[in-house]
Amino acid sequence: MSTHDAGRQATRRRTPAEEARTLVSSMSVAALASTDSGGAPWCSLAVYGPTLDGDPVLLVSTESEHGRNLLGDPRASVAINDPSVPGDPLDRPRITLSGAVVRPEGRRYEDALDAHCAAIPGARLYAAWEDQLLCVLEVQRVRWDGGFAATQALTRDEYRHAEPDPTARAAAKIAAQLNKDQPDGLLAVARELAGARGAVSAFCTGIDRYGIDLSCTGAGQSAAARALFDEPLQAAADLRPAALELVRRARSAGAA
Amino acid sequence: MSTHDAGRQATRRRTPAEEARTLVSSMSVAALASTDSGGAPWCSLAVYGPTLDGDPVLLVSTESEHGRNLLGDPRASVAINDPSVPGDPLDRPRITLSGAVVRPEGRRYEDALDAHCAAIPGARLYAAWEDQLLCVLEVQRVRWDGGFAATQALTRDEYRHAEPDPTARAAAKIAAQLNKDQPDGLLAVARELAGARGAVSAFCTGIDRYGIDLSCTGAGQSAAARALFDEPLQAAADLRPAALELVRRARSAGAA
């Protein structure tokens, strides 16, 4: 790999659209804005599972306020964030999706129900009850806010065509494992593969399908560094083997 | 105390309106539903601090989508829940407030700013910036959902006149401390003051200004029990002394 390639590749991370799709796929609780018969907004809690296009599939009771609202005016918006992210909530990555809900029929009903129940397995028990309204929020507008005032609109197509990171659900656990059992290995990765030659310790702050983020210390300073996997990973189960392969590569580079 | 009094008092707990006010006072992050110029709903994350009447004071940027929406149509709704409550999110206590935002002036501006900054201290740094809109959601309608489908409308006055539980912010910590350092004392409370004569162990599952909830086991079964303080507590600092006073009372009843 040329130096040019290394520099280009080392910055590779999830795009805003991929971050957005990953967040929506990682969560199953949203705030829902609907409109009552007088045109006033109404905010409520709702659970969802996303379709393959990232459209949230909601299951609401027609006897609830938001259910009645959606029957009267299909326009809706959901806001999703991960409340477990520590720190200032306004620095937390979050997304707003807006559009209108449709009630799928036939095969599309089955697909939407599957998408909802993949996130909310218990819903299969009551989805067929008479008062339950299964509806798909067909997303027209997307606003992604990556935190720290990095807000931007995404087009519908950017959002729909981006892929959620399939490794996201295991990332925190694998990062914690690596910090526990591979401190020397992470240091080798930092020094040999992430350009932090003078590092004396390295701590994994994040891991995703493209690579691993490290916080390195050395000479009384700390700095962020990143090392990339050879190829984007396709499954959560690939995270740890890929990280260990980076460690192996770093050690053989160090020994050379 | 007569048996009748004990029975009546032992059921005393926060009313739905007090639960609602306590939840709103305990949190500072809400989902906000506003309406765009075309009448479509928009859902977003917002931070707030409540006034003494329980009206959320919001501080939003007029350059943000929800800020522009509120300038165009003051009707708004917020949904608040505590995402740290474990278990099914639809069983989580939550609230929707709806009404219209007003922009307070003069002394009312200062009071509203104080209410916001009591919850969001950092806001004092930027509240005066030109793009910042401080507004009070004057609550007209309240829907409280205590979880497990226990949803109910509260009148504006029920909501306004209820008092948030002043001990709530310390409750989880004090309960954990009692479970750690007072297992025998809690068992005495369960047996002597909460009617669980046959209990062989007791675990504090909750504590509030009115009393303490216990989960008791004995004879291979478990059951909930509750013991009450003599008077409703007025501050978080009173929780532990009040619990230890119950332990003292239980031990002297047991020794008698």
Side-chain angles (χ1 to χ4, degrees), chain A residues 15-214:
Chain A
T15 64
E18 288 175 324
E19 290 286 355
R21 289 294 305 271
T22 300
L23 177 64
V24 172
S25 286
S26 301
M27 306 304 297
S28 58
V29 180
L32 169 66
S34 57
T35 307
D36 74 15
S37 57
W42 183 256
C43 201
S44 55
L45 190 76
V47 293
Y48 73 93
T51 65
L52 294 177
D53 286 339
D55 287 343
V57 181
L58 306 167
L59 182 66
V60 297
S61 168
T62 54
E63 291 169 19
S64 68
E65 199 128 357
H66 57 206
R68 286 194 303 269
N69 288 349
L70 294 177
L71 286 174
D73 183 340
R75 293 178 297 179
S77 173
V78 297
I80 298 162
N81 72 92
D82 180 354
S84 72
V85 172
D88 187 335
L90 294 182
D91 289 338
R92 200 184 279 169
R94 57 194 186 271
I95 194 170
T96 293
L97 307 172
S98 83
V101 296
V102 297
R103 301 172 69 169
E105 293 185 354
R107 177 56 195 255
R108 298 191 62 210
Y109 175 90
E110 297 302 327
D111 289 347
L113 181 61
D114 287 347
H116 184 84
C117 293
I120 314 291
R124 228 173 260 290
L125 298 174
Y126 50 84
W129 295 0
E130 205 165 90
D131 74 311
Q132 293 291 309
L133 175 68
L134 185 82
C135 55
V136 180
L137 175 57
E138 290 190 339
V139 172
Q140 296 297 340
R141 284 211 299 141
V142 179
R143 180 158 290 273
W144 163 252
D145 190 330
F148 303 99
T151 176
Q152 66 179 102
L154 299 174
T155 68
R156 170 175 163 81
D157 281 348
E158 283 170 334
Y159 176 76
R160 287 188 60 183
H161 296 149
E163 197 181 359
D165 186 337
T167 70
R169 67 181 171 77
K173 180 180 153 195
I174 299 295
Q177 278 180 358
L178 293 170
N179 285 323
K180 188 170 176 198
D181 65 20
Q182 298 289 326
D184 296 343
L186 293 176
L187 180 58
V189 170
R191 296 169 72 147
E192 303 298 335
L193 304 179
R197 305 291 314 182
V200 296
S201 75
F203 183 84
C204 175
T205 56
I207 187 166
D208 56 62
R209 70 185 311 185
Y210 300 118
I212 182 167
D213 285 313
L214 300 165

Side-chain angles (χ1 to χ4, degrees), chain B residues 213-227:
Chain B
D213 285 313
L214 300 165
S215 172
C216 308
T217 57
Q221 305 221 318
S222 78
R226 182 166 171 85

Side-chain angles (χ1 to χ4, degrees), chain B residues 112-189:
Chain B
L113 181 61
D114 287 348
H116 184 84
C117 294
I120 314 289
R124 232 174 254 290
L125 297 173
Y126 52 83
W129 295 0
E130 204 165 274
D131 74 310
Q132 294 292 309
L133 175 67
L134 185 81
C135 53
V136 180
L137 174 58
E138 289 189 339
V139 172
Q140 296 296 339
R141 282 212 299 142
V142 178
R143 180 158 289 275
W144 164 252
D145 191 330
F148 304 98
T151 177
Q152 67 180 103
L154 299 174
T155 68
R156 171 176 163 80
D157 282 347
E158 282 170 335
Y159 176 76
R160 287 186 63 182
H161 296 148
E163 196 181 359
D165 185 337
T167 70
R169 65 180 174 76
K173 180 181 153 197
I174 298 297
Q177 278 179 0
L178 292 171
N179 285 323
K180 189 171 174 196
D181 63 20
Q182 297 290 326
D184 296 342
L186 293 177
L187 179 58
V189 171

Side-chain angles (χ1 to χ4, degrees), chain B residues 83-94:
Chain B
S84 71
V85 173
D88 186 335
L90 294 183
D91 290 337
R92 201 185 277 167
R94 56 196 187 272

Side-chain angles (χ1 to χ4, degrees), chain B residues 241-255:
Chain B
L244 295 181
E245 171 60 20
L246 283 187
V247 169
R248 194 200 57 72
R249 256 170 54 198
R251 286 192 167 132
S252 55

